[in-house]
Amino acid sequence: MSTDARPGRLPGPVPADRRVPELDPALVAEWRAGGGEPIDLFALARERLGGVAAVDLGTGSSGPTVLVTAPEAVRHVLALHPDRYVKRSHRARLLIGDGVLAATGDAWQRQRRLLQSQFTGPGMRRYERRIAGAARTAAERWAGYARTGRVFDVGEEMRRFALDTIWRSLTGHPLDPGTERELGAVAHVVAELPSLPADGGAARGAVAAELARIDAVASRAIEAARDGTAGPDGPGLLHVLLDAAGTRPEYTDRLIRDELVTLLVAGHETTASTLTWLHLLLDRNPGARERALAAGPEGSDGRRRAVQALVHETLRFYPSAWILPRSAARDDVLCGYRIAAGTDVVVCPYLTHRDPGIWEDPGRFDPERFTVPGRRPADPGSYLPFGMGPRACLGLQFALRESTVLLEHLLPDRTPRFRSVPDGAAYSITVRPGGPTPATLG
Ligand code: HEM
């Protein structure tokens, strides 16, 4: 190990074309024997070896996996050379098929272009009423819990809100209880994904039945949209996809189903777990809630900025997409290190966001990092909860808007009192609270 290695940083000037330092296999064996989580091993590799480190997990088809956490290396992989580091087979392919999250090459580019206009600038305005409607529905439910003193699960509530928001945006209709129940299958399949075949393999048993339920919901929604029954807030994203099918033969019913399920999955699990973490973090840091509310009166820019900073600081602690896997498409030199074609590369925002070499006192919940100029590290590779480069999150503005609007409804007079809090986190496709989050409101 180089003596000048500092956590997360590159170890000083790197002579071009050097081998990536590898974590001692004895430490990997020790970790495996102890039944640890991959994040523990990655944290050890970052601490011992710095911001580009190799770890032999025994899973890479082409040698050890390269862990990337240094901001300049993160930018190299995701933003500067996305053609050299590509998505291979997406872990959620069984569920999302050829949707934009998993697609590659020209197909991805076409799919992304169509959706991009729906999620940026003026395209975003059409969601305002839908987001506000879903936030009002959630706030009414919370008012009921406050009246009755009933115990409810904060994580489950956040999931219902995020699902309702994206469903309204896709179909133009609020989420009805029957569809909500059926879409419970999405969470079950997502939970099973890490143990399922990533590519080509067919689902069996319970998972196959859940996938069939999801397909049934999707085809009902597609049929309803095709019949022209737009919801109270006008046509949804599904209508945009169906219109595209009129002129572009690649938009088959199958691809429309895949995009629908992709947006449902990408668009609610992430937001729901972020909002759940946010409530847990505020429970531990009540002063942060008070300061956000004191930043300005209801509806003011000051209040909105402060509430958004709560979301950003939560995403710094718990970026839902805690790893971004890529595969080296060709030989490359990454910040001086040699990378062979075929190498598995894992960018890990979670570790970048908690690196004491990059962030001051990273263990402290301090939303003002995102409001006070100069408090954030200058390198854009230091903070990437929504990814970077051409494959960055399509729903960034959507996610920030729905989170802020919901919190503006809930924060002023609804503070969950947790009956118990989960011990830690579950690191799966996303990083979620590792258990139930029962609470009451008073
Ligand atoms: C807090 C909430 C969210 C977080 C933290 C998040 C995070 C991410 C990240 C990190 C990526 C890039 C993955 C990679 O590079 O491998 C991504 C991609 C994506 N996200 Fe999000 N996301 C969130 C909410 C949403 C929402 C609300 C939507 C839809 C309305 C959405 C739709 C997508 C799509 C479609 C992609 C794939 C883009 C592509 O491959 O071209 N996300 N998201």
Side-chain angles (χ1 to χ4, degrees):
M1 180 182 130
S2 146
T3 49
D4 57 352
R6 284 173 292 147
R9 293 287 181 182
L10 298 171
V14 180
D17 222 9
R18 192 165 84 164
R19 266 191 74 214
V20 179
E22 185 180 337
L23 191 66
D24 183 348
L27 291 172
V28 181
E30 209 175 286
W31 163 81
R32 189 163 282 127
E37 292 276 355
I39 189 67
D40 301 329
L41 191 65
F42 290 165
L44 184 67
R46 198 274 317 269
E47 191 186 309
R48 299 275 173 115
L49 306 171
V52 179
V55 185
D56 197 347
L57 295 165
T59 53
S61 47
S62 171
T65 297
V66 171
L67 174 73
V68 171
T69 57
E72 46 274 63
V74 166
R75 271 190 289 113
H76 179 102
V77 171
L78 296 180
L80 300 177
H81 301 291
D83 52 324
R84 300 184 195 167
Y85 298 91
V86 296
K87 289 195 182 184
R88 217 180 34 192
S89 121
H90 199 278
R91 292 166 296 165
R93 188 149 219 144
L94 203 60
L95 179 60
I96 62 177
D98 293 327
V100 64
L101 187 64
T104 52
D106 292 346
W108 164 75
Q109 214 145 43
R110 285 195 299 269
Q111 287 168 239
R112 170 116 190 169
R113 212 171 295 134
L114 178 68
L115 291 174
Q116 184 107 26
S117 59
Q118 307 298 313
F119 281 109
T120 44
M124 269 300 295
R125 269 188 228 124
R126 83 190 63 198
Y127 305 118
E128 283 295 325
R129 282 180 51 192
R130 293 152 207 240
I131 290 174
R136 265 197 310 275
T137 305
E140 280 160 18
R141 272 200 311 269
W142 281 46
Y145 300 142
R147 259 195 320 275
T148 59
R150 202 186 121 190
V151 179
F152 67 101
D153 191 276
V154 172
E156 188 50 32
E157 276 297 314
M158 295 301 107
R159 204 185 68 78
R160 289 178 82 178
F161 162 70
L163 195 56
D164 187 18
T165 314
I166 189 72
W167 185 258
R168 288 172 190 245
S169 306
L170 284 162
T171 66
H173 296 274
L175 185 63
D176 60 282
T179 308
E180 184 182 340
R181 254 193 317 279
E182 287 176 285
L183 287 176
V186 172
H188 298 151
V189 177
V190 168
E192 291 297 319
L193 283 174
S195 58
L196 298 173
D199 216 7
R204 279 194 289 274
V207 172
E210 309 254 44
L211 284 171
R213 276 171 64 196
I214 296 166
D215 282 352
V217 173
S219 52
R220 261 204 331 268
I222 293 170
E223 282 321 309
R226 186 170 275 139
D227 288 348
T229 43
D233 296 330
L237 258 168
L238 250 184
H239 296 84
V240 173
L241 294 167
L242 285 167
D243 283 351
T247 50
R248 297 162 59 171
E250 69 269 24
Y251 279 92
T252 58
D253 273 11
R254 182 72 209 173
L255 184 58
I256 293 173
R257 175 265 174 222
D258 288 350
E259 291 294 37
L260 170 69
V261 176
T262 295
L263 291 169
L264 270 179
V265 174
H268 94 278
E269 288 280 329
T270 43
T271 309
S273 67
T274 303
L275 287 167
T276 310
W277 281 121
L278 188 144
H279 281 104
L280 289 166
L281 286 165
L282 287 186
D283 186 55
R284 259 184 270 157
N285 303 277
R289 172 181 172 276
E290 303 312 325
R291 281 191 293 280
L293 292 176
E298 194 183 331
S300 67
D301 283 351
R303 167 86 64 95
R304 180 147 297 171
R305 264 198 306 277
V307 169
Q308 193 156 301
L310 292 176
V311 178
H312 278 304
E313 181 67 342
T314 301
L315 282 165
R316 185 183 66 79
F317 267 86
Y318 296 106
S320 331
W322 64 284
I323 49 171
L324 309 175
R326 296 291 191 268
S327 173
R330 40 165 276 200
D331 290 350
D332 189 30
V333 177
L334 165 60
C335 297
Y337 294 116
R338 205 163 51 233
I339 305 285
T343 303
D344 286 337
V345 173
V346 170
V347 175
C348 185
Y350 184 96
L351 289 176
T352 304
H353 292 180
R354 289 169 178 247
D355 189 328
I358 302 169
W359 293 86
E360 196 189 319
D361 198 1
R364 195 156 62 88
F365 186 76
D366 178 10
E368 284 168 19
R369 299 175 203 273
F370 292 95
T371 50
V372 178
R375 291 278 314 276
R376 263 179 74 171
D379 193 319
S382 308
Y383 179 67
L384 64 152
F386 295 101
M388 291 190 91
R391 300 227 50 161
C393 181
L394 258 176
L396 182 157
Q397 289 185 31
F398 188 98
L400 290 177
R401 189 77 192 122
E402 64 176 322
S403 303
T404 312
V405 171
L406 179 73
L407 293 169
E408 283 177 339
H409 272 82
L410 298 185
L411 284 186
D413 39 28
R414 306 271 175 240
T415 307
R417 279 197 297 268
F418 285 97
R419 290 293 189 87
S420 67
V421 292
D423 264 351
Y427 300 86
S428 179
I429 298 277
T430 57
V431 54
R432 287 176 289 113
T437 45
T440 54
L441 291 171

